[in-house]
Amino acid sequence: MDTDLLEETANFLVGPGRGILAADESNGTMSKRLEGVGVASSPESRNAYRANLFAMPTMSEAISGVILYDETIRQQAVDGTSIPDYLHARNVLPGIKVDTGAKPLAGHENETVTEGLDGLRERCAEYFSMGARFAKWRAVIKIGNGLPSDACISTNAHALARYAAICQEQGLVPIIEPEVLMEGNHDAARCYDVTVDALSATWDECKIQGVYLPGVLLKPNMVLPGKDHSTRIDVETCARMTVDLLHEHVPHEIPGIVFLSGGQTEVEATAHLNMMNNMGPHPFELSYSYGRALQATTLKTWADNQNDLSKSHSVFAHRCKMAHLARFGKWSEDLEA
Ligand code: 13P
């Protein structure tokens, strides 16, 4: 294992004012997103949308890495070069989603285990040779009546740790993502407890598998009530609960936390990160690996203005700038106007 390379990559990804753009939607998910804004989904339209995103002139001020999907890492940028080469040339590291999706967990209705370990070593080696320097694997944990089960927590933690060990052997920094979903009517305290259980099980498995923690990034959910819960919490409470949880339940050797947005609006995800960065010092960088919270308005704007790409670029530039400011705790709501 090349621990120097892993540490260098992980620290680069959470460098000052920068974070990760999650553009690794599977073809199924991306098709839904495109159809949602009235665009037919095809390899060409997915390529056109993403290549335009990556060509935004100031992207690298806020984006250190982009997570790609298998289709995208093989596609071309606006100048005809390969997307991974194009990103490297812009001082942005390409990453790759390597799980093959959340599949039904045997004997546990409504729960899933994320698959993709078979052949993972060979796929990681190929992606590394194509320029990828980090990877992502997302485990899905649902809160509900009697959920999550111990089986869901432990199978997903085990898979995350085996994935992380294989990635590191192949020179890729693993993003470990145990996502506790916002779906449901649980309160924030329940989200806190389940997140603790998922993280604790994951670190236990990482220890068994010999995962090198200074060469890992964690991609967690923030602590929030379920979408259907009657009481919302304010920005400060979410930030305080999330920061307390991370300080106590994440090994301090990890260089950075890169949050998912998980269905929060663009402004909510930015406000929460901003508040957390105002509550420092922290033992690790607090950054982003947002999908929807960086792309939602940009995708809509692109769909409506495909003959004037400067419109979607200016919307994406704004979102990037807001995320960049939140890394320093310097964002404020009036900047959204
Ligand atoms: P969201 O920020 O839209 O939740 O996506 C992040 C991600 O990559 C989920 O795996």
Side-chain angles (χ1 to χ4, degrees):
M1 187 194 320
D2 185 343
T3 54
D4 288 347
L5 172 65
L6 296 171
E7 276 190 56
E8 191 192 322
T9 302
N11 285 304
F12 180 92
L13 288 169
V14 291
R18 303 215 293 169
I20 295 171
L21 167 66
D24 61 319
E25 300 85 356
S26 65
N27 287 348
T29 301
M30 198 62 214
S31 295
K32 272 188 238 151
R33 302 252 161 97
L34 284 168
E35 285 152 15
V37 294
V39 175
S41 183
S42 66
E44 293 73 27
S45 64
R46 295 190 288 271
N47 195 168
Y49 166 67
R50 286 167 168 150
N52 178 57
L53 200 58
F54 307 155
M56 194 277 280
T58 58
M59 183 177 85
S60 64
E61 290 169 18
I63 304 296
S64 55
V66 177
I67 318 175
L68 304 168
Y69 186 60
D70 181 76
E71 177 182 84
T72 321
I73 200 171
R74 302 172 194 283
Q75 289 179 325
Q76 290 185 342
V78 289
D79 64 359
T81 60
S82 81
I83 283 177
D85 287 353
Y86 181 84
L87 292 172
H88 272 288
R90 300 198 63 193
N91 199 30
V92 174
L93 289 180
I96 182 76
K97 170 195 181 77
V98 297
D99 68 66
T100 55
K103 305 289 161 60
L105 179 62
H108 294 82
E109 217 177 315
N110 290 325
E111 293 193 295
T112 59
V113 59
T114 299
E115 295 189 350
L117 291 171
D118 289 355
L120 181 58
R121 172 175 285 119
E122 292 73 20
R123 286 189 291 124
C124 285
E126 187 197 9
Y127 291 136
F128 187 94
S129 76
M130 296 172 85
R133 289 297 175 269
F134 69 104
K136 175 187 121 172
W137 178 291
R138 172 174 176 259
V140 181
I141 295 149
K142 199 183 282 179
I143 300 180
N145 200 0
L147 304 189
S149 64
D150 292 347
C152 175
I153 297 277
S154 82
T155 48
N156 278 298
H158 178 80
L160 278 167
R162 284 199 54 206
Y163 139 81
I166 292 170
C167 284
Q168 291 191 327
E169 178 199 83
Q170 296 301 319
L172 300 175
V173 164
I175 295 184
I176 293 181
E177 180 179 6
E179 176 174 0
V180 177
L181 296 180
M182 264 165 62
E183 275 70 35
N185 62 4
H186 52 278
D187 62 8
R190 176 96 177 109
C191 173
Y192 185 105
D193 291 344
V194 171
T195 305
V196 168
D197 289 348
L199 291 181
S200 304
T202 301
W203 306 132
D204 288 349
E205 291 287 345
C206 283
K207 189 158 187 219
I208 294 169
Q209 300 298 328
V211 174
Y212 180 65
L213 295 179
V216 153
L217 296 176
L218 175 69
K219 177 161 173 167
N221 49 282
M222 298 178 196
V223 177
L224 285 164
K227 278 203 294 227
D228 303 329
H229 190 68
S230 48
T231 325
R232 307 319 300 166
I233 59 174
D234 61 21
V235 172
E236 189 165 356
T237 306
C238 165
R240 174 49 58 204
M241 290 180 88
T242 306
V243 161
D244 287 351
L245 182 154
L246 296 173
H247 279 230
E248 214 170 312
H249 298 282
V250 176
H252 290 189
E253 302 101 285
I254 285 191
I257 308 285
V258 290
F259 291 101
L260 59 93
S261 59
Q264 298 179 56
T265 66
E266 294 171 323
V267 173
E268 283 166 351
T270 310
H272 287 141
L273 180 64
N274 184 69
M275 181 67 77
M276 286 189 261
N277 274 314
N278 271 315
M279 291 174 168
H282 304 297
F284 18 61
E285 294 293 324
L286 297 186
S287 185
Y288 43 86
S289 174
Y290 293 157
R292 285 162 287 180
L294 279 169
Q295 293 185 61
T297 312
T298 301
L299 174 63
K300 175 103 188 66
T301 308
W302 172 81
D304 293 345
N305 300 278
Q306 290 186 54
N307 46 18
D308 182 2
L309 297 173
S310 69
K311 290 215 164 67
S312 50
H313 276 179
S314 92
V315 170
F316 185 45
H318 171 73
R319 221 44 274 147
C320 284
K321 178 82 182 170
M322 297 299 103
H324 167 82
L325 291 173
R327 286 283 277 113
F328 301 111
K330 289 188 171 160
W331 171 88
S332 63
E333 184 127 33
D334 51 286
L335 297 171
E336 295 287 351

